[in-house]
Structure formats: C-alpha cells, structure tokens
Amino acid sequence: MIEAILGFVCLALGGFAWYSKQRADKAQARLAELAADLERIQQTQSQVIHTTKLASLGQMIAGVAHEMNTPIGFVKSNVEVVRELVTEHRELIKKCLHGFDLMLAADLSNPQMIEPMRRAMTKVRAALAGDERLNDGDDLLKDAVDGLVQIANLVKNLKGFARVDRDGMDALNLNECIESALTIAAHQLRDRVEVVKEYAQLPKINGVASQINQVLLNLITNAAQAMEEGGTLTLVSRRSGDQVEIDVTDTGAGIPDNVMPKIFDPFFTTKPVGEGTGLGLSIVHKIVQSHGGSIKVRTAPKKGSTFTISFPVDHALLKQSAEPK
Amino acid sequence: MTEPRIRVLCIDDEARILRALKALFRDMDVRTTVDPAEAIRWASEFDVDVIVCDQRMPKMQGIEVLREIRMAHPRAMRILLTGYADLSAVLGSVNEGEVFRYINKPWDNNDLRQTVQLAAKIARDTPVVLDKGIDDFSRDQARREVGILVIEDDPETQQRMREILQPHYQVRFASNPDRALQVLEQHETGVVISETAGQHGDFTALIKALKQYHPHIATVVVTDRANAQTAIDLINEGQVFRLLLKPVRMGSCRLSVDAAVGRYWQLKQNPQASRRFLVAPRPDALIPSWLAGSLMQRIRLLPSRLLGMARAH
Ligand SMILES: Nc1ncnc2c1ncn2[C@@H]1O[C@H](COP(=O)(O)OP(=O)(O)OP(=O)(O)O)[C@@H](O)[C@H]1O
Ligand SMILES: [Mg+2]
C-alpha cells in the first residue's frame, strides 16, 4: 500500500518534474523570444536614432537655407542692379565726351556758336548733377556688403554648430552654444515667437560642442512646437555654485500630469504620426547624463514649461583661465 | 498719352529686401513697407497694380496680408516672394491668397521684372471676377449644367468623390488622361478635379496643359502626395484654383467645388477675365512624351465645345 502510495507520489513528482520542465522550456523559449524582440527594438531604435540625426541635419539645412536665401536674394539683386547702373552711367559719360569733342572741334571765333553751346552744356550739367544713380548704387553696395557679412556669420555659426573641424571634448562657453542653436532654429521661431535672452558671464564647461548644441536645439524645438499660436521663448544662463545652468522657458501648452512621467522615454510623443519621433528628449537626457549633468522640468498647464539643464564647472579649466598667461 | 507708370507695392520685414526691390523696379512707381497693416491700407489708397509680398513676417503671414488685400483691392495681382517654401504656406497662397505667382528667394532679376510687368498689364486691362460669386438662381443652374471631371485612378477615392459630389453635380470620372480627354470632348466641363499623379504618370502635366489653353476651367487638385515644389509649380504653371490634401473631407471638398463652379460660371459670362489666370509657359522639354503628341493636339482643339459658347453667346 505504502509502496503504491510512494509509487503514486513518485509518479506525481515525476509528472510534476516533467510538467515543470515543460514550463521551464516554454519560459525559456519565451525568454528567447523576448530577447530577440529586445534586440529588434534596440536595432530599430538605433536605426531611428540614426534617422533622427539625419532629420535634425535636414532640419538644420532647411533652417540655414531659409536664413541665407534672404540675404542672398538682395545681395544678388543689388549687384546686378549696380551693374546696370554702371552701364547706364557709362552711356552718360559717352554722351558728355561726345559733347566735349564737339566743343573742342568748334570754331570759337564764331560768336553764333557760343550761345547754343552754353545752353547744351547747362543741360548736360543739370542732368549730371541731378543724377542720383551713383548714390543709389552706393547704398545698394553697402547693403550687399552687409548681406555678405551676414551670410559669412551664418556659415561660421553652422561650422560652430556641427564642429565639423573638431569633434571631441572641448572647453565650451554655453552662451555661444545657445546662440548657435538659436541660429539653426531661427526659421521655426521667427514668425511667431519672441526670443528673450538673459545670459550671465559663464565659466567654461567641458563637453562635446555638437552634442550640447543638439541638446539646446531639441529643447528649443520642443518649446517652439509647444507655442503653436506664438509666445515667448526665454533663454537664461547662470552660474550656481559648482554648476552652470540653462533655463529654456516657453509660454506654451504645458505638460499634463499624465504625460510628464513619460516625456523622457524613447519614442514617446504626443505629436501626430510623422511629425515627432519622440526621441528628442531621450537624446537630451542621454547627452546631459554623459556630460555629468542633470535635467529638471517645471510646468504649468496652459502657462508653459521650463527645462533646466545643468553641467558641472570644470575646475581645471577655471584654474587655467585664472592663471596669468 | 503714355501709359502711367506701373504701381507696385512691396511688403517684407527685411528693409534691405525692400531697398533691393525698389532699385530693381526703378522704372516703376514703387511703394515699400515693413508694416502689413499699412500695406493693406495703401493697396487701395494708391490703387496699386501689383503686390509683391514676403511670406514669413513676424506680425502677419504673407498669405494673410494677400487675402486681406484681395478683399480690399481685388484688381491688384498678387505675387508671393519667399525664402523658404513650406507646404502649408504654399497651400495657403493658393486657397486663400489666390496668388498669380509664387517666387522663391533668391529671385532672378529679369524674371521678376517681367513677371511684375505682365501682372501689371493684366491688372489694368482685365476685368476682375469678384469673390462674391453668383446668385442662388445661377448657382442652381450652374450646378445642373456645368460638368465636373474627376481624374483619379484610386477606386476608393473615386467612390468617396462619388458620394460627395454625385448628389449635387454632373460628375464624370476618368482614370487616365485618354479617358479624361474623351469626357472633355463630349461634355461641357467647367471644373476638373485631379490627383497629382496616378499609375499612368504625372497628371499635373495634363492639368497644366489644359489650363494653358483653357484658362476658364477651374482646377481643383486633391492629393496625398503633397510636396511644396509640386504645389508651387501648380500655381505658376497651372494656376490651380484649390489644392486639397487627402483624406477628402466632405465640407471643404464641396465648398471648393462650389467655388470652382462659380468661378467657371463667371468666366464663362466674362471670358476676358480669364487672362488673370494666365500660366507661365512651360519649356517644351518639360512636357512628357505621352502628352506631347496627339493628346496635346486634342487639348488645343477643345475650346468651342468646352465653353458651351453656342449657348452663352
Ligand atoms: N516644451 C514643451 N512643452 C510641452 N510639451 C513638451 C515640451 N517638450 C516636450 N514635450 C512633450 O514631451 C513629448 C516628448 O518630447 P520629445 O522631444 O522627446 O519628442 P517629440 O518632440 O514629440 O518628437 P521629436 O523631438 O522627435 O520631434 C512631446 O511629444 C510633448 O508631448
Ligand atoms: Mg522634440
């Protein structure tokens, strides 16, 4: 009897073992599936990160192209117009010279010649004196030079933004980074957003310029997108103890309580399909973290939001700059 | 007596652009301002012929300025001059601004000067068709008589258009250019609704050619392949009347088609006015080969039947 019971128990245990092995196998398989999923997600994520890099490159190019088309427009037009003015002026001079030639060839002993000649000369003189074309041309060229300087500055900023010439860690002035990012974002702001800047004198921080610029561009872009109907974008920089801080404040929609916990999640977006990838803030987070910094958000519905990023001041740099050269 | 000088009004938030335009148009009577509100007042006060307006300005968008001016002073021809083409601005300049040309910065001096001269001539010589449209009686008559042609090869959209339009208008469908021309040859057609492209190729080439020879036909483009450059070309080379994005909404579709029928009806009574919708000529090289031969010939030969001239005059 006991044996029978034992046998039964053994059987049951065996069955259980078999059953749990089944479960374990299933779990194992499920785990493998999950791992594969995870890998797939990670792959698509890195793919998407790559495409957003491209997207922000596209965005950057579109922005700069727009900013440049206006100065290129008037510089080109002015130079062409001045060329026309020069041609017209050359014609005028030709006429004067012709007059001179006639005068030189004329028989001045004949008093009847003098009066008509005087009259013709007075007319030419009045025309020359009243001709504003050279002055106009001068103004047009002044604008053209102005425009070229503006274009050169844009190019400089663009180089500064991408730091194509030097990647890697660098001593950065965050105020300059803000300016770079603003130039790139200008076409998103210009129509409807007023920009207020309150910069403090800042010690330098150690960082990768293109990445810090990306952080600022993403924050500014989000701010601009939160202010569909226009508003004010305030950029404040300050030193606070061992930290350098930047506030990016908008007067836009604000972030609802139920959205707030998710905003730094990769792929989380409230924007329509095709408009937002939801990677902006997760990239911001990653970059800020890798620079030993931190990020804070304050928001009020319908009033707006402030994103504050802070980075540690580099003491080595501080000492360097304090030492006399 | 010589013609009085062309009166141009330029609006841009960049003073240096305004100075450049003033110099460029130095043989014309040019007024410039950075202030949209002032521009809207000046347009009728100085009875200007042509408006050249920037799109992106801080106080007011260019298309809004042009819309206001169109209401206050419809005689003037409107040109949008912009540094950056985003799709919504281009759509707005069609649907609200009804602009004559959409020109990108940097512009070509000779082109711009010639465009302004042409626009001024049209503004002076050509009667205006007013926005108020037509009275209820004519509208009912127009809806009964004016044929509408839908060029579309997607069965789903065809079905949708049928639901929206069939109850109110004389609608006919064509899924390819050849069939479209058959319809045009057989029926008085005042409004053509079309996709930008189908499996059979680029429909915009067809719409542009049609508009070139028959400017009184109102075209409504409905598309899900929107891009800013295609839209700009549809303005300059096709004087498209309305540009709508898919999915087609019942309300906006009917409003647009009604307006288009009204526009056609007015131009039919007043054929001269269609010069206001003159298209920029397309270089022959840009006309696709499937269109260049016999189809083009058939388009050219359409007029008398199309206009229903026998009845109108
Ligand atoms: N300044 C802001 N005001 C209001 N909501 C914001 C702001 N910044 C971010 N958000 C919210 O956080 C979400 C995630 O932002 P994130 O930058 O990561 O992605 P996104 O802006 O939606 O897409 P992408 O950056 O790819 O364009 C946004 O969809 C939005 O709901
Ligand atoms: Mg974003």
Side-chain angles (χ1 to χ4, degrees):
Chain A
M1 179 68 199
I2 287 178
E3 272 170 16
I5 291 176
L6 266 176
F8 181 78
V9 170
C10 282
L11 208 77
L13 278 174
F16 178 75
W18 176 82
Y19 175 76
S20 47
K21 170 128 190 338
Q22 280 289 78
R23 288 227 340 212
D25 282 354
K26 251 200 197 142
Q28 193 102 50
R30 178 90 191 92
L31 209 65
E33 263 171 47
L34 279 177
D37 276 357
L38 196 68
E39 196 171 340
R40 247 198 322 276
I41 290 172
Q42 273 166 349
Q43 260 169 19
T44 51
Q45 175 167 354
S46 71
Q47 234 166 44
V48 176
I49 288 179
H50 187 68
T51 49
T52 43
K53 267 194 189 148
L54 285 181
S56 66
L57 184 70
Q59 181 187 40
M60 192 162 93
I61 290 168
V64 173
H66 172 249
E67 286 306 297
M68 285 196 186
N69 279 340
T70 292
I72 291 174
F74 65 77
V75 170
K76 180 167 163 287
S77 178
N78 286 4
V79 171
E80 280 173 24
V81 167
V82 168
R83 247 186 101 186
E84 289 168 6
L85 293 181
V86 168
T87 309
E88 288 172 22
H89 215 78
R90 194 180 294 135
E91 288 300 310
L92 205 65
I93 289 177
K94 229 196 243 163
K95 272 188 202 148
C96 289
L97 291 181
H98 184 62
F100 276 136
D101 290 345
L102 284 181
M103 251 163 58
L104 290 173
D107 174 10
L108 287 179
S109 60
N110 180 353
Q112 265 182 339
M113 288 291 290
I114 296 199
E115 194 42 35
M117 210 136 71
R118 266 182 59 104
R119 241 180 287 143
M121 274 173 63
T122 321
K123 231 170 156 184
V124 170
R125 192 192 179 286
L128 271 181
D131 190 21
E132 284 289 312
R133 269 176 293 193
L134 282 188
N135 289 341
D136 292 348
D138 208 27
D139 289 344
L140 291 177
L141 287 181
K142 232 181 266 160
D143 278 354
V145 172
D146 246 35
L148 288 174
V149 171
Q150 189 181 339
I151 295 168
N153 281 337
L154 279 167
V155 172
K156 202 166 81 190
N157 253 316
L158 192 63
K159 271 189 6 209
F161 186 88
R163 281 298 166 100
V164 266
D165 32 7
R166 37 179 165 157
D167 217 357
M169 285 298 212
D170 225 335
L172 304 176
N173 178 342
L174 285 179
N175 291 337
E176 284 167 14
C177 296
I178 303 178
E179 282 297 306
S180 275
L182 273 178
T183 328
I184 303 303
H187 74 297
Q188 303 183 52
L189 303 170
R190 157 146 156 181
D191 304 341
R192 52 202 170 82
V193 175
E194 194 197 343
V195 179
V196 177
K197 306 174 194 172
E198 293 164 19
Y199 299 162
Q201 284 276 355
L202 295 181
K204 295 203 164 156
I205 68 152
N206 226 333
V208 182
S210 58
Q211 292 185 0
I212 300 291
N213 291 339
Q214 181 76 60
V215 164
L216 290 163
L217 179 64
N218 288 3
L219 293 179
I220 291 171
T221 304
N222 281 348
Q225 288 166 344
M227 298 186 283
E228 284 280 347
E229 305 294 319
T232 309
L233 170 70
T234 313
L235 297 154
V236 180
S237 70
R238 67 177 161 272
R239 173 163 187 188
S240 150
D242 266 3
Q243 303 279 312
V244 174
E245 296 185 341
I246 295 175
D247 292 340
V248 180
T249 303
D250 64 66
T251 57
I255 306 170
D257 285 347
N258 61 332
V259 170
M260 192 58 138
K262 295 179 247 177
I263 58 171
F264 290 102
D265 295 351
F267 305 110
F268 174 79
T269 179
T270 55
K271 288 159 198 172
V273 189
E275 271 176 41
T277 61
L279 281 174
L281 284 178
S282 68
I283 291 172
V284 166
H285 187 71
K286 211 168 159 186
I287 294 175
V288 170
Q289 232 177 11
S290 75
H291 279 78
S294 63
I295 180 160
K296 274 183 305 205
V297 192
R298 269 173 299 142
T299 184
K302 302 226 163 62
K303 289 225 173 81
S305 321
T306 299
F307 284 76
T308 304
I309 47 174
S310 42
F311 298 99
V313 174
D314 190 308
H315 287 284
L317 286 173
L318 213 57
K319 240 194 259 148
Q320 254 175 41
S321 62
E323 274 166 17
K325 295 212 173 122
Chain B
M1 212 186 87
T2 53
E3 280 268 302
R5 298 215 295 176
I6 293 171
R7 289 183 295 277
V8 190
L9 172 58
C10 305
I11 310 139
D12 200 306
D13 61 331
E14 168 61 72
R16 290 170 300 181
I17 289 279
L18 292 176
R19 281 201 289 275
L21 293 176
K22 195 160 177 139
L24 179 61
F25 303 141
R26 61 194 180 286
D27 55 341
M28 309 176 195
D29 186 354
V30 187
R31 287 201 163 72
T32 64
T33 176
V34 293
D35 176 8
E38 188 168 59
I40 295 166
R41 260 186 292 116
W42 280 4
S44 37
E45 202 173 310
F46 299 117
D47 190 24
V48 297
D49 302 307
V50 183
I51 318 280
V52 177
C53 184
D54 182 24
Q55 164 59 11
R56 300 187 143 227
M57 296 183 289
K59 275 191 239 155
M60 208 173 171
Q61 301 270 304
I63 45 175
E64 289 172 54
V65 181
L66 291 181
R67 187 190 340 117
E68 299 281 316
I69 292 181
R70 185 162 75 94
M71 291 193 290
H73 184 58
R75 189 184 77 77
M77 301 290 280
R78 297 164 297 276
I79 296 171
L80 202 68
L81 185 64
T82 163
Y84 178 74
D86 66 43
L87 185 65
S88 72
V90 189
L91 292 182
S93 69
V94 178
N95 298 333
E96 296 167 45
E98 293 193 359
V99 304
F100 179 60
R101 293 291 181 265
Y102 191 109
I103 296 177
N104 282 314
K105 290 174 189 167
W107 59 86
D108 179 283
N109 279 10
N110 281 331
D111 275 0
L112 185 57
R113 234 182 329 222
Q114 274 164 19
T115 304
V116 168
Q117 276 156 356
L118 174 67
K121 181 149 176 49
I122 293 174
R124 287 184 178 185
D125 299 348
T126 312
V128 182
V129 280
L130 284 177
D131 236 8
K132 280 201 286 299
I134 50 184
D135 58 67
D136 290 352
F137 176 74
S138 318
R139 180 173 321 110
D140 289 341
Q141 192 189 356
R143 281 183 184 165
R144 270 197 314 276
E145 288 181 16
V146 176
I148 292 176
L149 167 63
V150 179
I151 309 176
E152 168 71 68
D153 63 6
D154 169 39
E156 226 168 88
T157 314
Q158 269 202 20
Q159 183 51 33
R160 178 90 182 114
M161 298 299 270
R162 193 170 314 220
E163 282 162 21
I164 299 178
L165 301 174
Q166 200 91 294
H168 312 280
Y169 312 95
Q170 299 282 330
V171 197
R172 298 180 183 88
F173 290 85
S175 54
N176 61 56
D178 182 60
R179 175 80 191 111
L181 267 152
Q182 275 175 28
V183 172
L184 291 168
E185 280 159 349
Q186 286 161 11
H187 306 278
E188 178 183 348
T189 302
V191 176
V192 173
I193 303 174
S194 171
E195 236 303 350
T196 50
Q199 287 157 7
H200 299 272
D202 177 13
F203 290 159
T204 63
L206 181 71
I207 317 170
K208 288 174 192 170
L210 205 59
K211 194 76 189 170
Q212 182 183 349
Y213 293 103
H214 311 288
H216 50 276
I217 296 182
T219 47
V220 176
V221 168
V222 181
T223 182
D224 59 3
R225 280 168 270 238
N227 92 43
Q229 191 53 47
T230 318
I232 292 174
D233 292 344
L234 276 169
I235 298 176
N236 294 340
E237 297 167 358
Q239 280 291 289
V240 58
F241 179 68
R242 291 288 182 270
L243 237 171
L244 308 178
L245 295 185
K246 285 180 183 171
V248 195
R249 295 220 172 68
M250 167 91 84
S252 61
C253 182
R254 281 213 50 201
L255 267 177
S256 299
V257 173
D258 247 358
V261 168
R263 168 62 57 80
Y264 168 74
W265 197 255
Q266 285 177 301
L267 290 179
K268 183 174 158 173
Q269 324 298 331
N270 196 352
Q272 263 198 330
S274 47
R275 256 185 78 73
R276 287 192 166 264
F277 310 103
L278 192 74
V279 298
R282 291 190 90 199
D284 279 345
L286 287 182
I287 298 175
S289 53
W290 57 264
L291 183 65
S294 68
L295 278 181
M296 204 67 177
Q297 187 65 11
R298 284 165 72 191
I299 292 175
R300 277 194 211 112
L301 291 176
L302 283 170
S304 52
R305 254 175 304 195
L306 257 177
L307 250 183
M309 283 297 194
R311 247 169 305 144
H313 297 275

